[in-house]
Coordinates of all heavy atoms in Angstrom, one line a residue:
M1 N 0.8 -1.2 0.0 CA 0.0 0.0 0.0 C 0.9 1.2 0.0 O 1.8 1.4 0.8 CB -0.9 0.0 1.2 CG -2.0 1.1 1.2 SD -3.2 0.8 -0.1 CE -3.9 2.5 -0.2
T2 N 0.6 2.1 -0.9 CA 1.3 3.4 -1.0 C 0.8 4.4 0.0 O -0.4 4.6 0.1 CB 1.2 4.0 -2.4 OG1 1.6 3.0 -3.3 CG2 2.1 5.2 -2.5
T3 N 1.7 5.0 0.8 CA 1.3 6.0 1.7 C 2.0 7.3 1.4 O 3.1 7.3 0.8 CB 1.6 5.6 3.2 OG1 3.0 5.3 3.2 CG2 0.8 4.4 3.6
C4 N 1.4 8.4 1.9 CA 2.0 9.7 1.7 C 3.3 9.9 2.6 O 3.3 9.6 3.8 CB 1.0 10.8 2.1 SG 1.6 12.5 2.1
P5 N 4.4 10.3 2.0 CA 5.6 10.5 2.7 C 5.6 11.7 3.7 O 6.4 11.9 4.6 CB 6.7 10.7 1.6 CG 5.9 11.3 0.5 CD 4.6 10.7 0.6
N6 N 4.6 12.6 3.5 CA 4.5 13.8 4.3 C 3.6 13.5 5.6 O 4.0 13.8 6.7 CB 3.9 14.9 3.5 CG 3.9 16.2 4.2 OD1 4.9 16.6 4.8 ND2 2.8 17.0 4.1
C7 N 2.4 13.0 5.4 CA 1.5 12.8 6.5 C 1.1 11.4 6.8 O 0.3 11.1 7.6 CB 0.2 13.7 6.3 SG -0.8 13.0 4.9
K8 N 1.7 10.5 6.0 CA 1.5 9.0 6.2 C 0.1 8.5 5.9 O -0.3 7.4 6.3 CB 1.9 8.6 7.7 CG 3.3 9.0 8.1 CD 4.4 8.5 7.2 CE 5.7 9.0 7.6 NZ 6.8 8.7 6.6
S9 N -0.7 9.4 5.3 CA -2.0 9.0 5.0 C -2.0 8.0 3.8 O -1.1 8.0 3.0 CB -2.8 10.2 4.6 OG -4.0 9.8 3.9
D10 N -2.9 7.1 3.8 CA -3.0 6.1 2.7 C -4.0 6.6 1.6 O -4.4 5.9 0.7 CB -3.2 4.7 3.1 CG -4.6 4.6 3.9 OD1 -5.3 5.6 4.0 OD2 -4.8 3.4 4.3
C11 N -4.5 7.8 1.8 CA -5.5 8.4 0.8 C -4.7 9.0 -0.3 O -4.6 10.3 -0.4 CB -6.4 9.4 1.5 SG -7.4 8.7 2.8
V12 N -4.1 8.2 -1.1 CA -3.3 8.7 -2.3 C -4.0 8.2 -3.5 O -4.6 7.1 -3.6 CB -1.8 8.3 -2.2 CG1 -1.2 8.9 -1.0 CG2 -1.7 6.8 -2.2
Q13 N -3.8 9.0 -4.6 CA -4.3 8.6 -5.9 C -3.3 8.8 -7.0 O -2.5 9.7 -6.9 CB -5.6 9.3 -6.2 CG -5.4 10.8 -6.3 CD -6.8 11.6 -6.4 OE1 -7.8 11.0 -6.3 NE2 -6.7 12.9 -6.7
L14 N -3.4 8.0 -8.1 CA -2.5 8.2 -9.2 C -2.9 9.5 -9.9 O -4.1 9.9 -10.0 CB -2.7 7.0 -10.2 CG -1.9 5.8 -9.8 CD1 -2.4 4.6 -10.6 CD2 -0.4 6.0 -10.0
R15 N -2.0 10.2 -10.4 CA -2.3 11.5 -11.1 C -2.4 11.4 -12.6 O -3.3 12.1 -13.1 CB -1.1 12.5 -10.7 CG -0.9 12.6 -9.3 CD 0.3 13.6 -9.0 NE 0.0 14.9 -9.3 CZ 0.8 15.8 -9.9 NH1 2.0 15.4 -10.2 NH2 0.4 17.0 -10.1
H16 N -1.6 10.7 -13.2 CA -1.7 10.5 -14.7 C -1.6 11.9 -15.4 O -2.3 12.2 -16.4 CB -3.0 9.8 -15.1 CG -3.0 8.4 -14.8 ND1 -1.9 7.5 -15.0 CD2 -3.9 7.6 -14.1 CE1 -2.2 6.3 -14.6 NE2 -3.4 6.4 -14.0
K17 N -0.8 12.8 -14.8 CA -0.7 14.1 -15.4 C -0.1 14.1 -16.8 O -0.7 14.7 -17.7 CB 0.2 15.0 -14.5 CG 0.3 16.4 -14.9 CD 1.2 17.2 -13.9 CE 1.3 18.6 -14.3 NZ 2.2 19.4 -13.4
G18 N 0.9 13.3 -17.0 CA 1.5 13.3 -18.3 C 0.6 12.6 -19.3 O 0.5 13.0 -20.5
R19 N -0.1 11.6 -18.9 CA -1.0 10.9 -19.8 C -2.1 11.8 -20.3 O -2.4 11.8 -21.5 CB -1.6 9.6 -19.1 CG -2.4 8.8 -20.1 CD -3.6 8.2 -19.4 NE -3.3 7.2 -18.4 CZ -3.5 5.9 -18.5 NH1 -4.0 5.4 -19.5 NH2 -3.2 5.1 -17.5
K20 N -2.7 12.5 -19.4 CA -3.8 13.4 -19.8 C -3.3 14.5 -20.7 O -3.9 14.7 -21.7 CB -4.4 14.1 -18.5 CG -5.3 13.1 -17.7 CD -5.8 13.8 -16.4 CE -6.5 12.8 -15.5 NZ -6.6 13.4 -14.2
A21 N -2.2 15.1 -20.4 CA -1.7 16.2 -21.2 C -1.3 15.6 -22.6 O -1.7 16.2 -23.6 CB -0.5 16.8 -20.6
A22 N -0.6 14.5 -22.6 CA -0.1 14.0 -23.9 C -1.3 13.5 -24.7 O -1.3 13.6 -25.9 CB 0.9 12.8 -23.7
S23 N -2.3 12.9 -24.0 CA -3.5 12.4 -24.8 C -4.2 13.6 -25.5 O -4.6 13.5 -26.6 CB -4.4 11.7 -23.8 OG -5.5 11.2 -24.5
T24 N -4.3 14.7 -24.8 CA -5.0 15.9 -25.3 C -4.2 16.4 -26.5 O -4.7 16.6 -27.6 CB -5.1 17.0 -24.3 OG1 -5.8 16.5 -23.2 CG2 -5.8 18.2 -24.9
V25 N -2.9 16.5 -26.3 CA -2.0 17.1 -27.4 C -2.0 16.1 -28.6 O -2.2 16.5 -29.8 CB -0.6 17.3 -26.9 CG1 0.3 17.6 -28.1 CG2 -0.6 18.4 -25.9
G26 N -2.0 14.8 -28.3 CA -2.0 13.8 -29.4 C -3.3 13.8 -30.1 O -3.3 13.7 -31.4
G27 N -4.4 14.0 -29.4 CA -5.7 14.0 -30.1 C -5.8 15.2 -31.0 O -6.3 15.1 -32.1
L28 N -5.3 16.3 -30.5 CA -5.4 17.5 -31.4 C -4.5 17.4 -32.6 O -4.9 17.7 -33.7 CB -4.9 18.8 -30.6 CG -5.9 19.3 -29.6 CD1 -5.3 20.4 -28.7 CD2 -7.2 19.8 -30.3
A29 N -3.3 16.9 -32.4 CA -2.4 16.7 -33.5 C -2.9 15.7 -34.5 O -2.8 15.9 -35.7 CB -1.0 16.3 -33.0
G30 N -3.5 14.6 -34.0 CA -4.1 13.6 -34.9 C -5.2 14.2 -35.7 O -5.4 13.9 -36.9
A31 N -6.1 14.9 -35.0 CA -7.2 15.5 -35.7 C -6.8 16.5 -36.8 O -7.3 16.4 -37.9 CB -8.2 16.2 -34.7
V32 N -5.8 17.3 -36.5 CA -5.3 18.3 -37.5 C -4.7 17.5 -38.6 O -4.9 17.8 -39.8 CB -4.3 19.2 -36.8 CG1 -3.5 20.0 -37.9 CG2 -5.0 20.1 -35.8
G33 N -3.9 16.5 -38.3 CA -3.3 15.7 -39.4 C -4.3 15.0 -40.2 O -4.1 15.0 -41.5
G34 N -5.3 14.4 -39.6 CA -6.4 13.8 -40.4 C -7.1 14.7 -41.3 O -7.4 14.4 -42.5
I35 N -7.4 15.9 -40.8 CA -8.1 16.9 -41.6 C -7.2 17.4 -42.7 O -7.7 17.6 -43.9 CB -8.6 18.1 -40.7 CG1 -9.7 17.6 -39.8 CG2 -9.1 19.2 -41.6 CD1 -10.1 18.6 -38.7
A36 N -6.0 17.6 -42.4 CA -5.0 18.1 -43.4 C -4.9 17.1 -44.5 O -4.9 17.5 -45.7 CB -3.7 18.4 -42.8
S37 N -4.8 15.8 -44.2 CA -4.7 14.8 -45.3 C -6.0 14.7 -46.1 O -5.9 14.5 -47.3 CB -4.3 13.4 -44.7 OG -5.3 12.9 -43.8
A38 N -7.1 14.9 -45.4 CA -8.4 14.9 -46.1 C -8.5 16.1 -47.1 O -9.0 16.0 -48.2 CB -9.6 15.0 -45.2
M39 N -7.9 17.3 -46.6 CA -7.9 18.5 -47.5 C -7.0 18.3 -48.7 O -7.4 18.7 -49.8 CB -7.4 19.7 -46.7 CG -8.3 20.0 -45.5 SD -10.0 20.6 -46.0 CE -9.8 22.4 -45.9
S40 N -5.9 17.6 -48.5 CA -5.0 17.4 -49.7 C -5.7 16.4 -50.6 O -5.5 16.4 -51.8 CB -3.7 16.8 -49.2 OG -3.8 15.5 -48.7
G41 N -6.6 15.5 -50.0 CA -7.3 14.6 -50.9 C -8.4 15.3 -51.7 O -8.7 15.0 -52.8
L42 N -8.9 16.4 -51.1 CA -9.9 17.2 -51.7 C -9.3 17.9 -53.0 O -10.0 17.9 -54.0 CB -10.4 18.3 -50.8 CG -11.2 19.5 -51.4 CD1 -12.5 18.9 -51.9 CD2 -11.5 20.5 -50.3
Q43 N -8.1 18.3 -52.9 CA -7.5 19.0 -54.0 C -7.2 18.1 -55.2 O -7.3 18.5 -56.3 CB -6.2 19.7 -53.5 CG -6.4 20.9 -52.7 CD -5.2 21.4 -51.9 OE1 -4.1 20.8 -52.1 NE2 -5.3 22.4 -51.2
S44 N -7.0 16.8 -54.9 CA -6.7 15.9 -56.0 C -8.0 15.1 -56.3 O -8.0 14.4 -57.3 CB -5.6 14.9 -55.6 OG -6.0 14.2 -54.5
G45 N -9.1 15.3 -55.5 CA -10.3 14.5 -55.7 C -10.9 14.7 -57.1 O -11.2 13.7 -57.7
P46 N -11.2 15.9 -57.5 CA -11.9 16.1 -58.8 C -11.3 15.5 -60.0 O -12.0 15.3 -61.0 CB -11.9 17.7 -58.9 CG -11.8 18.2 -57.5 CD -10.9 17.2 -56.8
S47 N -10.0 15.1 -59.9 CA -9.4 14.5 -61.1 C -9.7 13.0 -61.2 O -9.3 12.4 -62.1 CB -7.9 14.7 -61.0 OG -7.4 14.0 -59.9
Y48 N -10.5 12.5 -60.2 CA -10.8 11.0 -60.3 C -11.6 10.7 -61.5 O -11.5 9.7 -62.1 CB -11.5 10.6 -59.0 CG -10.6 10.3 -57.8 CD1 -10.8 11.0 -56.6 CD2 -9.5 9.5 -58.0 CE1 -9.9 10.7 -55.6 CE2 -8.6 9.2 -56.9 CZ -8.8 9.9 -55.7 OH -8.0 9.6 -54.7
G49 N -12.6 11.6 -61.7 CA -13.4 11.3 -62.9 C -14.0 12.5 -63.5 O -14.4 13.5 -62.7
P50 N -14.1 12.6 -64.8 CA -14.6 13.9 -65.4 C -16.1 14.1 -65.1 O -16.6 15.2 -65.2 CB -14.4 13.6 -66.9 CG -14.3 12.1 -67.0 CD -13.7 11.6 -65.7
N51 N -16.9 13.0 -64.8 CA -18.3 13.1 -64.6 C -18.6 13.0 -63.1 O -19.8 12.7 -62.8 CB -19.1 12.1 -65.5 CG -18.8 12.4 -66.9 OD1 -18.7 13.5 -67.4 ND2 -18.6 11.3 -67.7
G52 N -17.7 13.1 -62.3 CA -17.9 12.8 -60.8 C -18.9 13.9 -60.3 O -19.6 13.6 -59.4
G53 N -18.8 15.1 -60.7 CA -19.7 16.1 -60.3 C -19.1 16.8 -59.1 O -18.4 16.2 -58.2
T54 N -19.4 18.1 -59.0 CA -18.8 18.9 -57.9 C -19.5 18.6 -56.6 O -18.8 18.5 -55.6 CB -19.1 20.4 -58.2 OG1 -18.6 20.7 -59.5 CG2 -18.4 21.3 -57.2
L55 N -20.8 18.3 -56.6 CA -21.4 17.9 -55.4 C -20.8 16.7 -54.8 O -20.6 16.6 -53.6 CB -22.9 17.7 -55.6 CG -23.8 17.4 -54.4 CD1 -23.7 18.5 -53.4 CD2 -25.2 17.1 -54.8
G56 N -20.6 15.7 -55.6 CA -20.0 14.4 -55.1 C -18.7 14.7 -54.5 O -18.3 14.1 -53.4
A57 N -17.9 15.5 -55.2 CA -16.5 15.8 -54.7 C -16.6 16.5 -53.3 O -15.8 16.2 -52.4 CB -15.8 16.7 -55.7
M58 N -17.6 17.4 -53.2 CA -17.7 18.2 -52.0 C -18.1 17.3 -50.8 O -17.6 17.4 -49.7 CB -18.7 19.4 -52.1 CG -18.1 20.5 -53.0 SD -19.3 21.8 -53.2 CE -19.4 22.4 -51.5
L59 N -19.1 16.4 -51.1 CA -19.6 15.5 -50.1 C -18.5 14.6 -49.7 O -18.3 14.3 -48.5 CB -20.8 14.7 -50.6 CG -22.1 15.4 -50.7 CD1 -23.2 14.5 -51.3 CD2 -22.5 15.9 -49.3
G60 N -17.7 14.1 -50.7 CA -16.6 13.2 -50.3 C -15.6 13.9 -49.5 O -15.0 13.3 -48.5
A61 N -15.3 15.2 -49.8 CA -14.3 15.9 -49.1 C -14.8 16.2 -47.6 O -14.0 16.0 -46.7 CB -14.0 17.2 -49.7
L62 N -16.1 16.5 -47.5 CA -16.7 16.7 -46.2 C -16.5 15.5 -45.3 O -16.1 15.5 -44.2 CB -18.1 17.1 -46.3 CG -18.8 17.6 -45.0 CD1 -18.1 18.8 -44.4 CD2 -20.3 17.9 -45.3
A63 N -16.9 14.3 -45.9 CA -16.8 13.1 -45.2 C -15.4 12.8 -44.8 O -15.1 12.3 -43.7 CB -17.4 11.9 -46.0
G64 N -14.5 13.1 -45.7 CA -13.0 12.9 -45.5 C -12.5 13.7 -44.3 O -11.8 13.2 -43.5
V65 N -13.0 15.0 -44.3 CA -12.6 15.8 -43.2 C -13.1 15.3 -41.8 O -12.4 15.2 -40.8 CB -13.0 17.3 -43.4 CG1 -12.9 18.1 -42.2 CG2 -12.3 17.9 -44.6
L66 N -14.4 14.9 -41.8 CA -15.0 14.4 -40.6 C -14.3 13.1 -40.1 O -13.9 13.0 -39.0 CB -16.5 14.1 -40.8 CG -17.4 15.4 -40.9 CD1 -18.8 15.0 -41.2 CD2 -17.3 16.1 -39.5
V67 N -14.2 12.2 -41.1 CA -13.6 10.9 -40.7 C -12.1 11.1 -40.3 O -11.6 10.6 -39.4 CB -13.7 9.9 -41.9 CG1 -12.9 8.6 -41.6 CG2 -15.2 9.5 -42.0
G68 N -11.4 11.9 -41.1 CA -10.0 12.2 -40.9 C -9.8 12.8 -39.5 O -8.9 12.4 -38.8
G69 N -10.7 13.7 -39.2 CA -10.5 14.4 -37.9 C -10.8 13.5 -36.7 O -10.1 13.4 -35.7
I70 N -11.9 12.7 -36.9 CA -12.3 11.8 -35.8 C -11.3 10.6 -35.6 O -10.8 10.4 -34.5 CB -13.7 11.2 -36.1 CG1 -14.8 12.3 -36.0 CG2 -14.0 10.1 -35.1 CD1 -16.1 11.9 -36.5
V71 N -11.0 10.0 -36.7 CA -10.0 8.9 -36.7 C -8.7 9.4 -36.2 O -8.0 8.8 -35.4 CB -10.0 8.1 -38.0 CG1 -8.8 7.1 -38.0 CG2 -11.3 7.5 -38.3
G72 N -8.2 10.5 -36.9 CA -6.9 11.0 -36.5 C -6.9 11.4 -35.0 O -5.9 11.2 -34.4
G73 N -8.0 12.0 -34.6 CA -8.0 12.4 -33.2 C -8.0 11.2 -32.2 O -7.3 11.2 -31.2
G74 N -8.7 10.2 -32.6 CA -8.7 9.0 -31.7 C -7.4 8.3 -31.7 O -6.8 7.9 -30.6
V75 N -6.7 8.1 -32.9 CA -5.4 7.5 -32.9 C -4.4 8.3 -32.2 O -3.6 7.8 -31.4 CB -5.0 7.3 -34.4 CG1 -3.6 6.8 -34.5 CG2 -5.9 6.2 -35.0
G76 N -4.4 9.6 -32.5 CA -3.5 10.5 -31.8 C -3.6 10.5 -30.3 O -2.6 10.5 -29.6
S77 N -4.9 10.5 -29.9 CA -5.1 10.5 -28.4 C -4.6 9.2 -27.8 O -4.0 9.2 -26.7 CB -6.6 10.6 -28.2 OG -6.9 10.6 -26.8
A78 N -4.8 8.1 -28.5 CA -4.4 6.8 -27.9 C -2.8 6.8 -27.9 O -2.2 6.4 -26.9 CB -4.9 5.7 -28.8
L79 N -2.2 7.2 -29.0 CA -0.8 7.3 -29.0 C -0.2 8.2 -28.0 O 0.8 7.9 -27.3 CB -0.3 7.7 -30.4 CG -0.4 6.6 -31.5 CD1 0.0 7.2 -32.8 CD2 0.3 5.4 -31.2
G80 N -0.9 9.4 -27.8 CA -0.4 10.3 -26.8 C -0.6 9.8 -25.4 O 0.3 10.0 -24.6
G81 N -1.6 9.0 -25.2 CA -1.8 8.4 -23.9 C -0.7 7.4 -23.5 O -0.2 7.4 -22.4
K82 N -0.2 6.7 -24.5 CA 0.9 5.7 -24.3 C 2.1 6.5 -24.0 O 2.9 6.2 -23.1 CB 1.1 4.9 -25.6 CG 0.0 3.9 -25.8 CD 0.5 2.5 -25.8 CE -0.6 1.5 -26.2 NZ -1.4 1.0 -25.0
A83 N 2.4 7.6 -24.8 CA 3.6 8.4 -24.5 C 3.5 9.0 -23.2 O 4.5 9.1 -22.4 CB 3.7 9.4 -25.6
G84 N 2.3 9.4 -22.8 CA 2.1 10.1 -21.5 C 2.4 9.1 -20.3 O 2.9 9.5 -19.3
D85 N 2.0 7.9 -20.5 CA 2.3 6.9 -19.5 C 3.8 6.8 -19.2 O 4.2 6.7 -18.1 CB 1.8 5.5 -19.9 CG 0.3 5.3 -19.6 OD1 -0.2 6.1 -18.9 OD2 -0.3 4.4 -20.2
A86 N 4.6 6.8 -20.3 CA 6.0 6.8 -20.1 C 6.5 8.1 -19.4 O 7.4 8.0 -18.5 CB 6.7 6.7 -21.5
L87 N 5.8 9.2 -19.7 CA 6.2 10.5 -19.0 C 5.8 10.4 -17.6 O 6.6 10.8 -16.7 CB 5.4 11.6 -19.7 CG 5.9 12.2 -21.0 CD1 5.0 13.3 -21.5 CD2 7.4 12.7 -20.9
D88 N 4.7 9.8 -17.3 CA 4.2 9.7 -15.9 C 5.2 8.9 -15.1 O 5.5 9.2 -13.9 CB 2.9 9.0 -15.8 CG 1.7 9.9 -16.1 OD1 1.9 11.1 -15.8 OD2 0.7 9.5 -16.6
E89 N 5.8 7.8 -15.7 CA 6.7 7.0 -15.0 C 8.1 7.6 -14.8 O 8.8 7.4 -13.8 CB 6.9 5.6 -15.8 CG 5.7 4.7 -15.7 CD 5.8 3.5 -16.5 OE1 6.9 3.2 -17.0 OE2 4.8 2.8 -16.8
G90 N 8.4 8.4 -15.8 CA 9.8 9.0 -15.7 C 9.9 10.4 -15.2 O 10.8 10.7 -14.5
L91 N 8.9 11.3 -15.5 CA 9.1 12.7 -15.3 C 8.3 13.2 -14.1 O 8.8 13.9 -13.3 CB 8.7 13.5 -16.5 CG 9.8 13.7 -17.6 CD1 9.2 14.5 -18.7 CD2 11.0 14.4 -17.0
F92 N 7.0 12.8 -14.1 CA 6.1 13.5 -13.1 C 6.0 12.7 -11.8 O 6.2 11.5 -11.8 CB 4.8 13.7 -13.7 CG 4.8 14.6 -14.9 CD1 4.6 14.1 -16.2 CD2 5.0 15.9 -14.8 CE1 4.6 14.9 -17.3 CE2 5.0 16.8 -15.9 CZ 4.8 16.2 -17.2
D93 N 5.7 13.3 -10.8 CA 5.3 12.6 -9.6 C 4.0 11.9 -9.8 O 3.1 12.4 -10.4 CB 5.0 13.6 -8.4 CG 6.3 14.3 -8.0 OD1 7.4 13.7 -8.1 OD2 6.2 15.5 -7.5
Q94 N 4.0 10.6 -9.5 CA 2.9 9.7 -9.9 C 1.7 9.8 -8.9 O 0.6 9.6 -9.4 CB 3.4 8.3 -9.9 CG 4.4 8.0 -11.1 CD 4.7 6.5 -11.1 OE1 3.8 5.7 -11.1 NE2 6.0 6.2 -11.2
Y95 N 1.9 10.1 -7.7 CA 0.8 10.0 -6.7 C 0.6 11.4 -6.1 O 1.5 12.3 -6.0 CB 1.2 9.1 -5.6 CG 1.1 7.6 -6.0 CD1 2.3 7.0 -6.5 CD2 0.0 6.9 -5.9 CE1 2.2 5.7 -6.9 CE2 -0.1 5.6 -6.3 CZ 1.1 5.0 -6.8 OH 1.0 3.7 -7.2
E96 N -0.7 11.6 -5.7 CA -1.1 12.8 -5.0 C -1.8 12.4 -3.8 O -2.7 11.5 -3.8 CB -2.0 13.7 -5.9 CG -2.4 14.9 -5.2 CD -3.3 15.8 -6.2 OE1 -3.6 15.3 -7.2 OE2 -3.5 17.0 -5.8
C97 N -1.4 13.0 -2.6 CA -2.1 12.7 -1.4 C -3.4 13.6 -1.3 O -3.3 14.8 -1.5 CB -1.2 13.1 -0.2 SG -2.0 12.9 1.4
T98 N -4.5 12.9 -1.1 CA -5.7 13.7 -1.0 C -5.9 14.3 0.4 O -6.8 15.1 0.6 CB -6.9 12.7 -1.3 OG1 -6.9 11.6 -0.4 CG2 -6.9 12.3 -2.7
S99 N -5.1 13.9 1.3 CA -5.2 14.5 2.7 C -4.5 15.9 2.8 O -5.0 16.9 3.3 CB -4.6 13.6 3.7 OG -5.4 12.4 3.8
C100 N -3.2 15.9 2.3 CA -2.4 17.1 2.4 C -2.1 17.7 1.0 O -1.5 18.8 1.0 CB -1.2 16.9 3.2 SG 0.1 15.8 2.3
G101 N -2.4 17.0 -0.1 CA -2.1 17.6 -1.4 C -0.7 17.4 -1.9 O -0.4 17.9 -3.0
R102 N 0.1 16.8 -1.2 CA 1.5 16.6 -1.6 C 1.6 15.6 -2.8 O 0.8 14.6 -2.8 CB 2.3 16.1 -0.5 CG 3.8 15.8 -0.9 CD 4.6 15.5 0.3 NE 6.0 15.2 -0.1 CZ 7.1 15.6 0.6 NH1 6.9 16.3 1.7 NH2 8.3 15.3 0.2
T103 N 2.4 15.8 -3.7 CA 2.7 14.9 -4.8 C 4.0 14.2 -4.6 O 5.0 14.8 -4.1 CB 2.7 15.6 -6.2 OG1 3.7 16.6 -6.2 CG2 1.3 16.2 -6.5
F104 N 4.1 13.0 -5.0 CA 5.3 12.2 -4.7 C 5.4 11.0 -5.7 O 4.4 10.6 -6.3 CB 5.4 11.8 -3.3 CG 4.3 10.9 -2.9 CD1 4.4 9.5 -2.9 CD2 3.0 11.4 -2.5 CE1 3.4 8.7 -2.5 CE2 2.0 10.6 -2.1 CZ 2.2 9.2 -2.1
T105 N 6.6 10.5 -5.8 CA 6.8 9.2 -6.5 C 7.3 8.2 -5.5 O 8.4 8.5 -4.8 CB 7.8 9.4 -7.6 OG1 7.3 10.4 -8.5 CG2 8.0 8.1 -8.3
P106 N 6.6 7.1 -5.3 CA 7.1 6.1 -4.3 C 8.4 5.5 -4.6 O 8.8 5.4 -5.7 CB 6.0 5.1 -4.3 CG 5.2 5.3 -5.4 CD 5.4 6.6 -6.0
Ligands
ZN201 ZN1 -0.3 13.6 2.8

């Protein structure tokens, strides 16, 4: 059982500070990357077929942006979370005492 080094309380909780931060950053980066790749697909999209139609190209691009943003955000968030776990283990204090507020690594 992990206890607080300051007040000896066992009311401690994991912080996951690095994981949360990295997950947020990763999600944003992934969403931006997904949308950017969908936008580049939009620019080359109309060349797929002469009779494809502008509406079809626009709908396809819109779907691409949505899917790219959602999928990219999800993948980026998951990858960021993994990277954040490593940060949590190496850089940040892992535990926080809920009695006195002190953070520490056992
Ligand atoms: Zn404490």
